[in-house]
Every structure is written in C-alpha cells, then in structure tokens.
Amino acid sequence: MRFSQYFIPTFRETPSDAEIPSQKFALKGGYIKKVAVGIYDLLPLGLRVIRKVEQIIREEMNKAGAHEVLMPSMIPAELWQKSGRWYRYGKELLRITDRGEREYCYGPTHEEVIVDLVTNNIKSYKQLPQNLYQIQNKFRDEIRPRFGLMRAREFTMKDAYSFHASPECLDTTYQRMYQAYTQIFKRCGLKLRVVSADSGAIGGNASQEFMITADSGEDAILYCDCCNYAANIEKATTQLSTTSNEKPNALTQVSTPNQRSIEEVSSFLNTSPSLLIKTLVYNYIPNADLEGETFSVAVICLRGDYELSEVKLGHVLDARVLALASDRDIEDTLKAPVGYLGPINLPTGVKLLVDDSVATIVNGVTGASIADTHFTGVCAGRDFPVNSIVDVKTVKAGDACPECCSGKLIQERGIEVGHIFKLGTKYSESMQAIFLDEQGKTQPFIMGCYGIGVGRTAMSAIEQSHDDRGPIWPIQLAPFEVIIITAKAEDPAQKAAADDLYNKLLSAGIDVLFDDRNERIGVKFNDADLVGAPLRIVIGNKLSEGWIEFNFRLGEKRGVSTSVVYDETVSIIEALRHPID
RNA sequence: CGGUGUGUAGCGCAGUCCGGUAGCGCACUACGUUCGGGACGUAGGGGUCGGAGGUUCGAACCCUCUCACACCGACCA
C-alpha cells in the first residue's frame, strides 16, 4: 500500500478523553474513530488488525473441528422470551420495536438463536457432537462504556456453541476449545493467564477466562505463587485457619460513642479489624420471581478485614436484582441504628447469612443494635446462629491459596479476552431443545459456549506492547509488517529504489506500506511509529554509497547493502512470523 | 442511578466573572524557502459559540428549561 493513496488520518495531538495507551494510539494513529458512546468506525488500519485476529481465530477454530455460521444481529423477542432471559436481562439488552409493533433485541449473545437453529435440524445422537461458531457484532448497552474498543457497546465477538449427547463428550470439546484458545492467543503474540471464573448472566457451571495481563486491565485476578490455582477475584476463594485456642469470654456490652466504621471501632477498642464482625443489609429479588417488584431482605455478616463480593452474594441468594439497603430501610426492618448493626438479637424471621470467615470467631466485636454500643467477647454459634455459612467475601492478595497448603495468593490485573463455559442443559431445557438418544429417549442437548472479544484482543496487544510513540505490534497482528520510508520523496534515485523494493516485497506476499508522501522525514517517522510495523526500512542519503537502513520498531538500527536488502527483509519477516519456541 | 465538570472550526483550547458584530495553536489550500525525528514565511478557506425560550437597543457571555459528553461513585455500616 502506498501511504499517499491510503487513508490513515493520524493526529499530532491526542484526543483529550483517551485514558489508556491502546485507546490513545488507536485514536491518534487513525485506527478507529468514535461515532457515539461506545460505538466506533474501524478505519483501514484498525480493520487490518481486526482481520488478522479474525483470521487466526478462524484457522484455529476450524482446526478444532468447529464450523462457521453467521447468525443475525437482530433477534426476535420470542426466542428470548422462550429462554426467559427477555425478562431477566436488564437494561443492557437493547430492545427494538419494528413497524408492526413486533419486538426484537440486538443480540448481546446468541445462545437462543443457535439453540433454535440446532433444535430444528439435529434430532439424533448420531448427528452429535456439533460445534458452530460465528464472528459477529454484538450490542450491549453497558452502564459505562470506556477505553475505546476495550469496552465498547457495539463490538465484534467470536462466539461458539457446542452440542453434545453426554457430559463426557462436552468435556472433550471443552478441552479442545481450551487448547484452541491457548493457541490463538499464543499466535497473537500475547501473554496469557487462564483463570477460573464466575459464569455470570450466561449461567452454567464450569467456566474459565482467558486473561491478557496488563496494568490497565479491568479485572482483578488472583493466582497462587506455589501451585496452578488462578481465579477471577469474583470467584476466588481462600483457606481460612479454622482453629482458635482462645478461651471464650463473656459477652460484654461496651460504650463506643460515635465509632461506626471498622477502622474507628477497631482503633477505639484497640483490637484488630479481623476480630470485628461487620453486618450488611441487602435487598434483593430472587431469580424465581420473574416479574415481581417486591424486595426480600438478607443480613450478611463478614469479617471486618474483608469486603463483600456482590457477585458471590448474588449467587448465594440466586438474586435477579441486588442492592444495598438504604439507611431508612435498615432502621425500619432491623430496628437498629446504622453503624451499630450486629447479628445478635435480630428480629425473628430475618434471613441471616454468615461468611465462613466469621463462623469461627471467638471473642469478636460487633454492633449491639443499640446506638453508640458494641459487644465484645462475641462467639459465633454461641451468641448468634451460624446455620447458613456462605462464602461472600472478596479474597485479597496475601490470603492463603485454597488448593495447596503453602501458597499465598498474588493479585494482578487482566483483560478478559476469552471465556469458555460448560453450559449444561440450561438453555436446551428452557427452550425444549431435545434429541433422541440411543435408547430412543428424548434428552436435552448438553451445551458448551466459547467467546472471544476480537477488538479487545487487538487492543490488548497494544496494552502489552507499546512505547510513548505508539504500538509495538507483534508481527502477527501488525497492520503492516514492513514500512518503507524515503528521506526525500522527490529524489529520483531514492524513489526508484523504494519503488523497486516495495514491488518486490509485495510480490513476496509481505504486508508492506510505502510512505511515498512528500513530507519531512520527521513526520513520516512519527507516523511510522504509530503504524507500529516491526521493521522500518529507510532509504536516505546513504543510498548513493549503496546503503539502506533497517530500523526495528523495538529500537535496533543497522545499515544494509542495497544488494541484499530484499533477501534480508524476506528472511527477517519469515523469522518473525515463525518464532522458535 | 448519584456526584462533579465540560459543550466555541476536523483536533487541542482561550474568551463567559464585567454583554458591544468570534479568537489562538495544530490540521487544511496556494506560493516561496527548507528537508534524517511532527520546519519557516506570506496569503487564504472554514464556526447557526450543543439546543430552545427569556431579559436587553444589542447575548458565546445574564436567567430558565433541555440535550449531549466526560470523569468519579454506585463495596458503606
């Protein structure tokens, strides 16, 4: 491609709302253009990167036995009503009405459509397993889209769905997808960490997330410094020391005027936050209650040095809607002042959940449900019931690994680029998707589902590899593999040499960009840094002496004789394309 | 959904307090000089000042209402 004839609108200044490197360079380098909140144009440069990611995905998915389809982005409400998600999915789902008052949604995911497709066309175990995928745009009306393509509302996703007659068969495909995903991100040149995850609104049991590690990642992940344990913070658990040698003291009421928070109370009573029991009150609507608006109340006790995980709590309560109760609500239902709540002497009928971190506390401290008053010498089980022991805490760095005895958890940030689930029969049952097994009996399909964020994968590459001038693309994703620059565009000798090399590299099947613009060389260097090609070839004033310059995007520079420049370029690109492990 | 802030040329911004026919830098066009890390000069083109209503002889500026965008928060007992 010749730069002068191409469309790469770069900017000298960065748009002021860019927050992270990938967003900054994608906008500044002319990869994307914002059209509306969370909605973007993909410009030629951006599209080239996206297409390369897609190509890698296609090759690996096909190799793993999946077949590509393309489902519509507009989905009739009827299908979503059948699965029940029409009612359960919140405002993220963009609902649209057509001229005939028929309702649709713009698909945020395609379980319903694929189940509908397969139900009507697969009737026998003999036709299983089947694994179908598509690369299609989704729309999710996110609360807070940000970071450019990283969390857009409209975005491109590869989603695959597999159908099986047995759990064992699902396991096999799930493993194959795991391998394929590992291979995909490896080929994209990305550093990866796989964690067990919460399966969220999609439902199902086992699930793993493929995280690209980067400081700007929106997810927190915890992994063991000793064994293979790794989990999303929404799912991570820890091992608590269970024994306490303390002799229980008597329950004692103490005055704690104006001491409300964990910090205030623990320093006032000169004790550790880990001996405090904090009590939180949530309102929620259960999943079973599809259209109701009536809230139930749950009281949760948690050790003072932990934060509550609303994701975990949502699962425990099987809640469709979950919100912290207001101060007024709390005082109405518990007849106790906020800041001095405690699990002792709760009104009858109130649902009390006790986090396992609290269940073994001896001689703890908690609010007395009376203003300016706490209890000390609190013992779980003796002073309040621990019938419902749950895990609703957010595990933190330094906690003990739940799977090996010696490890400690380390926290880092990651970008979720892929997610694989064992869905089971959740959708096939709700949508009556059945086949006949070997005994001639009807069975619901056992399903798996496997997603990759395409744009997010591309942006992660920038997050993992850039300098202050622009992206440093891995060659597999780079919009161009080589960029040729002439120092003086109008110099006939330079122009001829560049044209010749450009045409030869094109014929050799190398993605080459020739910056033939009549610009000062500084301008071209800066734009080249934004294009981020691994190799830049500069044809300048040493040409007359038979020399051309190789500048690698990573920094190294060296002179090359004109006689070997083509051969050397080809072998460098070949070597970059096929790294030796 | 709550808090805060911002809307003036394609991008980045000043002007608003104190009303008087709209400016700067970059980008763009033409010519000239330059030419190895975003050159310089001269001359140009481009804006219903987010929208609606009001006050006023006169509104980017004051008042009211709206819309949009951005950041923070929505884990606190």
Side-chain angles (χ1 to χ4, degrees):
Chain A
M1 190 58 63
R2 286 172 189 272
F3 204 123
S4 65
Q5 290 159 28
Y6 207 39
F7 182 58
I8 310 181
T10 61
F11 296 88
R12 176 178 276 188
E13 290 173 274
T14 310
S16 60
D17 50 357
E19 293 180 76
I20 58 172
S22 60
Q23 184 184 18
K24 178 176 156 187
F25 294 130
L27 289 164
K28 185 179 183 195
Y31 291 79
I32 60 173
K33 155 96 169 69
K34 183 166 151 182
V35 177
V37 193
I39 298 175
Y40 290 85
D41 291 319
L42 279 180
L43 311 190
L45 219 48
L47 190 57
R48 287 182 76 99
V49 177
I50 296 295
R51 290 283 185 253
K52 291 195 174 185
V53 175
E54 290 176 353
Q55 188 53 33
I56 291 171
I57 292 174
R58 283 200 173 90
E59 286 171 17
E60 296 300 326
M61 289 302 291
N62 294 344
K63 207 183 288 178
H67 307 296
E68 187 168 6
V69 296
L70 188 57
M71 293 180 269
S73 47
M74 296 291 293
I75 304 171
E78 186 195 348
L79 285 178
W80 276 66
Q81 286 160 352
K82 222 168 158 185
S83 73
R85 284 207 290 187
W86 184 259
Y87 312 104
R88 214 171 302 129
Y89 227 86
K91 290 183 177 167
E92 267 194 12
L93 184 65
L94 179 65
R95 297 160 209 256
I96 300 160
T97 308
D98 74 3
R99 72 207 301 177
E101 299 295 307
R102 286 174 291 259
E103 289 183 294
Y104 296 81
C105 63
Y106 193 120
T109 172
H110 281 76
E111 283 80 4
E112 283 80 0
V113 186
I114 196 90
V115 167
D116 176 63
L117 168 65
V118 167
T119 306
N120 290 318
N121 294 293
I122 295 186
K123 313 246 183 224
S124 158
Y125 73 94
K126 292 176 193 163
Q127 296 165 286
L128 294 175
Q130 191 60 259
N131 189 359
L132 300 172
Y133 76 98
Q134 66 171 347
I135 296 176
Q136 165 68 299
N137 279 9
K138 313 283 188 203
F139 192 94
R140 293 183 188 171
D141 201 353
E142 298 271 354
I143 304 176
R144 215 180 137 191
R146 56 186 142 170
F147 303 148
L149 287 193
M150 201 68 95
R151 178 177 289 281
R153 293 195 295 170
E154 187 185 24
F155 61 99
T156 306
M157 181 173 175
K158 188 287 300 178
D159 48 328
Y161 306 88
S162 67
F163 296 82
H164 310 271
S166 72
E168 295 72 32
C169 179
L170 169 60
D171 289 345
T172 307
T173 297
Y174 184 89
Q175 280 313 314
R176 260 178 115 172
M177 285 294 106
Y178 183 102
Q179 298 302 336
Y181 273 39
T182 307
Q183 190 59 23
I184 287 166
F185 295 117
K186 186 177 158 196
R187 282 185 61 189
C188 289
L190 296 167
K191 268 183 250 141
L192 184 69
R193 195 177 285 282
V194 185
V195 303
S196 33
D198 176 75
S199 50
I202 295 185
N205 31 53
S207 98
Q208 284 168 298
E209 284 171 349
F210 289 72
M211 305 290 246
I212 303 301
T213 54
D215 293 340
S216 59
E218 293 191 84
D219 289 289
I221 58 190
L222 290 154
Y223 64 94
C224 179
D225 61 2
C226 181
C227 71
N228 282 327
Y229 181 79
N232 190 305
I233 198 162
E234 294 174 344
K235 165 99 175 184
T237 58
T238 182
Q239 200 165 52
L240 298 156
S241 50
T242 47
T243 50
S244 169
N245 299 323
E246 289 243 3
K247 288 218 177 66
N249 294 333
L251 188 66
T252 310
Q253 196 169 314
V254 296
S255 172
T256 49
N258 289 318
Q259 311 297 313
R260 290 187 176 78
S261 68
I262 294 295
E263 293 71 35
E264 287 166 354
V265 174
S266 58
S267 84
F268 184 81
L269 295 176
N270 196 22
T271 184
S272 144
S274 65
L275 281 174
L276 265 64
I277 299 168
K278 65 178 169 189
T279 305
L280 300 106
V281 183
Y282 271 82
N283 292 328
Y284 68 101
I285 302 176
N287 262 324
D289 183 4
L290 272 188
E291 295 186 53
E293 296 291 324
T294 319
F295 283 91
S296 306
V297 175
V299 175
I300 300 100
C301 283
L302 194 64
R303 212 168 78 185
D305 56 336
Y306 278 110
E307 298 291 342
L308 181 81
S309 162
E310 288 193 348
V311 173
K312 287 185 180 178
L313 180 61
H315 282 298
V316 166
L317 294 171
D318 193 23
R320 177 165 64 87
V321 180
L322 181 68
L324 199 68
S326 69
D327 291 3
R328 197 194 301 156
D329 279 354
I330 293 172
E331 285 168 21
D332 284 355
T333 30
L334 301 189
K335 315 286 183 231
V338 171
Y340 299 95
L341 302 180
I344 301 174
N345 301 329
L346 283 176
T348 48
V350 172
K351 185 185 183 81
L352 174 67
L353 300 176
V354 177
D355 186 77
D356 55 3
S357 61
V358 165
T360 54
I361 283 187
V362 174
N363 295 335
V365 176
T366 193
S369 300
I370 302 167
D372 298 331
T373 310
H374 279 76
F375 283 125
T376 60
V378 176
C379 299
R382 183 191 72 181
D383 301 320
F384 60 91
V386 291
N387 303 330
S388 303
I389 299 179
V390 295
D391 174 18
V392 291
K393 65 186 144 333
T394 305
V395 172
K396 44 189 200 301
D399 282 353
C401 171
E403 284 191 0
C404 69
C405 9
S406 47
K408 286 221 178 323
L409 296 177
I410 296 171
Q411 183 169 341
E412 69 183 346
R413 308 223 42 104
I415 301 161
E416 182 193 343
V417 289
H419 202 158
I420 57 179
F421 300 84
K422 289 183 191 173
L423 278 181
T425 54
K426 182 182 157 98
Y427 292 91
S428 46
E429 276 180 8
S430 61
M431 297 183 70
Q432 294 99 46
I434 51 171
F435 66 95
L436 290 183
D437 68 12
E438 287 167 278
Q439 278 77 44
K441 281 191 186 156
T442 61
Q443 301 283 354
F445 292 109
I446 296 171
M447 292 177 59
C449 107
Y450 320 92
I452 292 179
V454 177
R456 200 179 267 190
T457 301
M459 292 299 106
S460 308
I462 304 184
E463 290 301 322
Q464 267 193 351
S465 175
H466 64 269
D467 59 16
D468 56 355
R469 299 184 163 279
I472 302 172
W473 291 108
I475 194 163
Q476 294 78 5
L477 301 190
F480 291 97
E481 296 171 309
V482 176
I483 179 164
I484 300 172
I485 288 180
T486 45
K488 280 189 182 176
E490 72 277 24
D491 179 298
Q494 289 184 16
K495 188 178 182 312
D499 268 334
D500 182 52
L501 181 59
Y502 168 66
N503 286 317
K504 280 183 181 157
L505 292 177
L506 266 188
S507 316
I510 289 173
D511 285 335
V512 54
L513 178 66
F514 171 24
D515 193 345
D516 57 339
R517 293 174 302 168
N518 188 13
E519 285 284 355
R520 297 170 69 81
I521 194 162
V523 172
K524 296 200 261 192
F525 280 163
N526 280 299
D527 282 346
D529 289 336
L530 288 167
V531 171
L535 175 61
R536 181 172 81 199
I537 300 174
V538 184
I539 299 176
N541 47 26
K542 294 256 179 67
L543 178 68
S544 50
E545 299 157 36
W547 291 92
I548 282 174
E549 197 174 308
F550 275 2
N551 300 345
F552 294 89
R553 185 64 182 82
L554 282 167
E556 187 206 339
K557 292 186 182 187
R558 64 182 160 92
V560 181
S561 160
T562 47
S563 57
V564 297
V565 70
Y566 168 76
D567 292 335
E568 285 225 19
T569 303
V570 171
S571 66
I572 286 169
I573 295 304
E574 276 303 313
L576 285 171
R577 282 176 179 172
H578 306 289
I580 303 149
D581 291 309

